[in-house]
Amino acid sequence: MKRTTAASCGMSSCHVCYKLASQSAHQCPRCGASMHQRKPGSLQRTLALLVTGCLLYIPANLLPIMITDQLGSSEPSTIIGGVVLLVQLGSIPVAGVIFIASVMVPISKFAAMYYLCWCAAKEAPSNALKMSKLYRITEFIGKWSMVDVFVVAILVALVSLGGVLVIRPGAAAMAFAGMVMVTMVAAESFDPRLLWDKMDDVNE
Amino acid sequence: MQGDLQGEEPAEFKLSSQHLACPSCDSLIDTSELVDGDTATCPVCRGFLTKFTSDGVSRVISYATSALILLVFSCAFPFLSFKASGLESVMTLPGTAIMLYTHGMTDLALLVGAFILFIPSLIMVLLLLFYIPLKLEIASPWLVFAGRSVFALQHWCMVDVFLIGVIVSLVKIVSMATIILGISFFAYVGFAICFTLALTNTDRLQCWLAVERVAGNQF
Ligand SMILES: [Zn+2]
Ligand SMILES: [Zn+2]
């Protein structure tokens, strides 16, 4: 592939404003942000955050995400339990939305990010174009997992009828929100340019 | 390679001030031939680079102003009301965070409040602080700070995700009780639309080039 990289010209690009400056510059001449040719410690940071996210995902699924108090009896429900209940009630589309947002998106995001880190670290050439696309999708879907946390927040605020019917938040909501935030930072710490740097090494 | 229109041989390559390094693959792209309305994508990795519009600044100002007005409305009125067995409970937009706090989940209350209210409104204020001086061509002392804050915070708004959450919760409880959508709900939908339009019209490269022009005039 015929291309000239900023790195090969001895330049680095500001991650805030895209200003090109010499690699020796530590601060962007236009916006003052600190400059790096590649995000420092990108892979280590991404992997560490991913492992943290995976660990948080365990309590997020095992603990109750909300507790329904109805006429003296309290009934805790987990994420999966909520999906199963919705299917039994016949609300298949909503069950689908919750299942995709809370189960499929986090799991596929973990898998995609581990795979991208592995591709960026290994020696053999990879299909950088496909990898870039995968990275962009992963970056985009990240925040959509928060749907379930917002559903809990809305139901807690909306359904509070004295002693008759009250919905309380469960500990899993915080673990889940933490997991979403950690994986969002993980996606942000990953430097997609590492995928392309490997391609150049092979072509040269 | 197909699509490699602007790439050049390294031997005859000349770096100019019009060059831009693609943020996702580091290829140098010449942006000197962009005209009004053009969207530039990277020919190597197909990533979005910049959209050049001459009226982008005024558009962002009007969308951000409308978004702020609508947000004030959506905090002032009931968002949803819930009626079951003769009892009624009313939910307001700040109530989603406040009720989590009353149930003892302070950290989650802060996060929810930040994602749906605090950060989105802060971004709109910062956008106005950033774009109004650009429009008037005044090199205000907070220009660079406001710009950098906008780009640091923009990933942390979940206005659109929250609206999907509202729809999901409505379907979840619609069989249990009567649900009434309040004025705030419609104001927040309008806010979400203006908010998204303001952010999609905020072009990273173009606004920083404008900062450089404005600052260059004054200093
Ligand atoms: Zn910069
Ligand atoms: Zn590119």
Side-chain angles (χ1 to χ4, degrees):
Chain A
M1 182 169 294
K2 278 188 285 175
R3 70 184 188 115
T4 312
T5 61
S8 69
C9 296
M11 306 295 270
S12 49
S13 165
C14 172
H15 65 106
V16 178
C17 71
Y18 300 167
K19 174 88 177 171
L20 279 174
S22 144
Q23 265 165 27
S24 54
H26 293 290
Q27 271 201 325
C28 171
R30 180 154 65 193
C31 73
S34 62
M35 287 189 80
H36 308 280
Q37 198 183 12
R38 296 290 178 267
K39 290 176 190 169
S42 164
L43 289 182
Q44 289 92 322
R45 209 178 281 190
T46 311
L47 279 173
L49 288 162
L50 273 180
V51 172
T52 317
C54 281
L55 291 177
L56 281 169
Y57 194 54
I58 300 168
N61 275 290
L62 294 181
L63 297 172
I65 196 159
M66 66 180 198
I67 302 134
T68 315
D69 293 332
Q70 196 162 12
L71 300 168
S73 69
S74 66
E75 193 188 315
S77 64
T78 56
I79 295 174
I80 297 291
V83 174
V84 172
L85 188 72
L86 280 169
V87 172
Q88 284 167 350
L89 291 171
S91 331
I92 307 291
V94 181
V97 170
I98 300 262
F99 184 74
I100 290 171
S102 314
V103 181
M104 276 173 59
V105 166
I107 290 177
S108 41
K109 196 175 165 178
F110 287 135
M113 287 305 299
Y114 279 124
Y115 182 58
L116 285 170
C117 285
W118 178 69
C119 285
K122 70 175 180 170
E123 296 288 315
S126 52
N127 188 338
L129 189 60
K130 268 192 187 149
M131 295 296 132
S132 294
K133 216 169 266 172
L134 181 65
Y135 174 67
R136 260 173 242 138
I137 297 170
T138 322
E139 212 183 12
F140 172 78
I141 60 173
K143 64 174 184 178
W144 289 94
S145 319
M146 277 296 275
V147 165
D148 217 19
V149 176
F150 289 138
V151 169
V152 171
I154 293 162
L155 290 182
V156 166
L158 185 59
V159 185
S160 61
L161 299 175
V164 182
L165 179 61
V166 175
I167 292 182
R168 288 185 289 132
M174 189 60 217
F176 197 86
M179 184 279 290
V180 176
M181 292 203 318
V182 165
T183 47
M184 278 173 73
V185 180
E188 226 168 283
S189 327
F190 183 78
D191 197 329
R193 291 172 291 191
L194 295 174
L195 299 165
W196 292 91
D197 291 345
K198 291 283 165 197
M199 294 265 291
D200 291 347
D201 293 347
V202 173
N203 289 353
E204 266 161 26
Chain B
M1 212 63 193
Q2 54 147 314
D4 194 24
L5 303 166
Q6 290 145 321
E8 288 155 67
E9 284 288 349
E12 60 196 58
F13 185 81
K14 263 228 147 59
L15 189 67
S16 78
S17 61
Q18 295 286 330
H19 271 97
L20 170 71
C22 170
S24 42
C25 71
D26 211 30
S27 310
L28 288 166
I29 322 283
D30 187 6
T31 57
S32 54
E33 279 159 38
L34 282 182
V35 291
D36 195 12
D38 269 6
T39 303
T41 35
C42 172
V44 179
C45 73
R46 320 266 159 82
F48 171 79
L49 293 172
T50 179
K51 184 171 167 44
F52 179 68
T53 43
S54 51
D55 61 343
V57 173
S58 346
R59 266 197 240 180
V60 172
I61 293 173
S62 47
Y63 289 135
T65 315
S66 339
L68 279 174
I69 295 168
L70 285 165
L71 191 66
V72 171
F73 274 103
S74 58
C75 287
F77 299 99
F79 197 83
L80 296 171
S81 3
F82 175 86
K83 272 182 200 164
S85 45
L87 292 163
E88 186 179 1
S89 73
V90 176
M91 170 202 144
T92 59
L93 189 59
T96 45
I98 294 164
M99 281 302 276
L100 286 173
Y101 173 74
T102 33
H103 283 284
M105 299 193 84
T106 316
D107 33 15
L108 192 62
L110 288 174
L111 284 182
V112 169
F115 289 153
I116 65 170
L117 275 178
F118 184 65
I119 298 179
S121 54
L122 185 65
I123 287 192
M124 292 298 107
V125 172
L126 285 167
L127 269 183
L128 289 179
L129 285 176
F130 185 54
Y131 271 92
I132 291 174
L134 284 185
K135 172 94 182 157
L136 303 174
E137 297 186 359
I138 303 165
S140 60
W142 63 78
L143 197 58
V144 167
F145 169 78
R148 280 181 61 186
S149 312
V150 167
F151 292 110
L153 290 171
Q154 65 173 357
H155 295 295
W156 296 99
C157 303
M158 305 200 180
V159 174
D160 36 7
V161 185
F162 179 73
L163 277 179
I164 299 294
V166 173
I167 294 165
V168 170
S169 7
L170 284 180
V171 180
K172 258 188 151 177
I173 54 170
V174 80
S175 57
M176 294 194 324
T178 318
I179 312 288
I180 299 147
L181 298 176
I183 301 172
S184 280
F185 172 78
F186 299 102
Y188 197 76
V189 171
F191 163 74
I193 294 169
C194 292
F195 176 82
T196 314
L197 283 172
L199 276 188
T200 47
N201 278 287
T202 305
D203 191 273
R204 214 180 258 261
L205 180 68
Q206 302 306 329
C207 75
W208 285 105
L209 289 175
V211 170
E212 206 166 48
R213 278 195 301 271
V214 169
N217 286 344
Q218 303 282 322
F219 299 135

